[in-house]
Amino acid sequence: MRWTIAGILLGFAVAAGAQDAGEIKTVAGAASLERGGKKLPLSAGVPVRQGDTVVTGANGAVGITFTDNSLLSVGPNSTLVIDRYAFDSTTHKGEFDTSLRKGTLAVISGKIVKQSPDAMRVRTPTSIMGVRGTEFLVKVD
Amino acid sequence: MAARALIAVAVLLSGCAKDTVVLLPGPDGKAGTVVVQRGQERHVLNQPYASSSVGQEVKVLPAAEVRESYGTVLQALPSRPAAFVLYFITGTDELTPASKGDLQKVLAELKQRPSPDVVAIGHTDTVGDLLGNDRLSLQRAERMKVYLVEIGIPGERIKTAGRGKRELLVPTRDNVDEPRNRRVEINVR
């Protein structure tokens, strides 16, 4: 009986993390999250998912911690799309694609890149970046 | 090939859009590698503050200049996740006296963060059967959760999991009493 409960608890823990790619950790100034054509209020603790777009205004900035411990932040006047995110917490395999349409982006890569050096890509309107376990900045004028 | 064609189209469509990529040193002062593919142009960045812009050679920028021009976005980066390992008395969900002291370090880290979340993953040594150890490892993680809730961390901000004897810190044969394997890893993010 106790084992069954333990199994259910473990199941919940896995299910709760299945959809969330990460969560908002820092917010400054004007910022919003767009999901399925809707604008959602954005504050620390709000989960982000594959397909979400983060938009900041002239004084805005947002920081996100992903479930694989990747850290991303965007500065003012930025648009960042989370195109694809998948992470297996048991094997650490995954895929991580984001697009910076405009503005500034800071990236500290996490466990996905540690496990599979080619599994994270960042796009801008003109470039594709392959990330081999590192920290970097991107600006689109 | 199709990807290359798409990049070429993207370059044409974007017109005056222009991007810059700057590599940063990690906490140890060393930089990793970023490969920037811009149509036919390919830049490999592999030293701190190396910078790539369209139509230019890779150059290394002064650190202070980078820190200043990207100040806002750098300040918005979340704190790096912190990891702690706490150890247990054999066959129980009771922390060793030393690890009880270490719990204070976890609390201090939690207090520094504006919106912390915690992942507690329990483990056992190889004494006992698989299911019993699965149960004990989850019980240890859950016990950590109780401690953290008691000091004011909301329960919904804490995830727990038990990995039983599947992920040994110190590899041993079966039925070996190894204190370093009786642990909970606590990730504060």
Side-chain angles (χ1 to χ4, degrees):
Chain A
M1 186 58 199
R2 291 182 107 182
W3 294 346
T4 314
I5 292 168
I8 291 168
L9 284 172
L10 195 61
F12 276 157
V14 173
Q19 271 199 314
D20 294 343
E23 72 171 42
I24 305 291
K25 289 293 188 186
T26 69
V27 183
S32 64
L33 187 70
E34 290 171 11
R35 179 179 297 162
K38 284 180 190 158
K39 256 191 191 180
L40 303 174
L42 200 158
S43 61
V46 167
V48 296
R49 295 177 184 166
Q50 169 175 302
D52 285 353
T53 301
V54 178
V55 181
T56 59
N59 59 352
V62 174
I64 308 166
T65 298
F66 286 82
T67 54
D68 81 320
N69 285 348
S70 295
L71 310 176
L72 265 69
S73 62
V74 292
N77 291 317
S78 300
T79 302
L80 179 76
V81 185
I82 301 161
D83 300 305
R84 188 152 71 127
Y85 184 86
F87 175 59
D88 182 327
S89 61
T90 302
T91 63
H92 289 182
K93 283 184 180 157
E95 295 284 340
F96 195 0
D97 289 289
T98 56
S99 301
L100 182 70
R101 300 276 167 81
K102 61 172 187 161
T104 49
L105 169 72
V107 177
I108 298 179
S109 65
K111 291 175 184 170
I112 290 176
V113 168
K114 213 168 207 176
Q115 173 67 34
S116 325
D118 289 315
M120 185 184 195
R121 288 159 298 267
V122 177
R123 288 174 173 81
T124 71
T126 46
S127 305
I128 296 180
M129 277 141 263
V131 182
R132 311 273 159 79
T134 194
E135 315 192 0
F136 61 100
L137 296 159
V138 186
K139 182 172 72 173
V140 176
D141 296 313
Chain B
M1 200 59 208
R4 277 198 178 166
L6 277 177
I7 296 165
V9 170
V11 170
L12 288 173
L13 288 178
S14 59
C16 60
K18 181 163 100 54
D19 61 22
T20 306
V21 183
V22 184
L23 195 64
L24 295 174
D28 60 356
K30 291 178 192 155
T33 303
V34 169
V35 178
V36 185
Q37 190 78 44
R38 208 179 267 114
Q40 294 299 311
E41 186 180 74
R42 180 187 166 92
H43 287 160
V44 177
L45 306 180
N46 53 19
Q47 50 179 315
Y49 304 105
S51 163
S52 162
S53 297
V54 62
Q56 289 178 30
E57 295 291 308
V58 171
K59 61 184 173 192
V60 175
L61 302 174
E65 184 189 312
V66 174
R67 298 279 162 194
E68 197 187 324
S69 23
Y70 293 88
T72 313
V73 69
L74 283 170
Q75 206 185 350
L77 268 175
S79 301
R80 287 169 201 274
F84 301 88
V85 183
L86 303 180
Y87 298 92
F88 290 80
I89 295 167
T90 181
T92 73
D93 61 358
E94 285 293 325
L95 287 173
T96 62
S99 284
K100 268 187 188 154
D102 285 344
L103 199 55
Q104 296 307 314
K105 292 181 193 162
V106 179
L107 306 189
E109 186 64 44
L110 281 161
K111 280 181 188 156
Q112 281 185 7
R113 296 177 183 241
S115 174
D117 73 290
V118 178
V119 183
I121 302 170
H123 302 272
T124 65
D125 61 25
T126 58
V127 176
D129 61 22
L130 195 69
L131 283 174
N133 277 316
D134 281 358
R135 182 169 50 84
L136 178 58
S137 64
L138 183 61
Q139 200 179 319
R140 285 174 172 161
E142 289 290 329
R143 183 66 186 271
M144 286 302 99
K145 182 171 174 174
V146 170
Y147 278 128
L148 294 170
V149 168
E150 270 172 10
I151 57 101
I153 308 301
E156 70 268 18
R157 304 294 293 155
I158 306 167
K159 286 193 184 116
T160 57
R163 305 256 306 132
K165 54 179 174 179
R166 292 177 173 79
E167 198 179 322
L168 302 175
L169 187 66
V170 179
T172 67
R173 293 187 315 277
D174 214 26
N175 278 309
V176 174
D177 174 335
E178 171 52 67
R180 286 170 294 175
N181 286 332
R182 297 193 292 270
R183 68 203 196 275
V184 168
E185 295 168 18
I186 296 184
N187 273 277
V188 178
R189 303 191 291 197

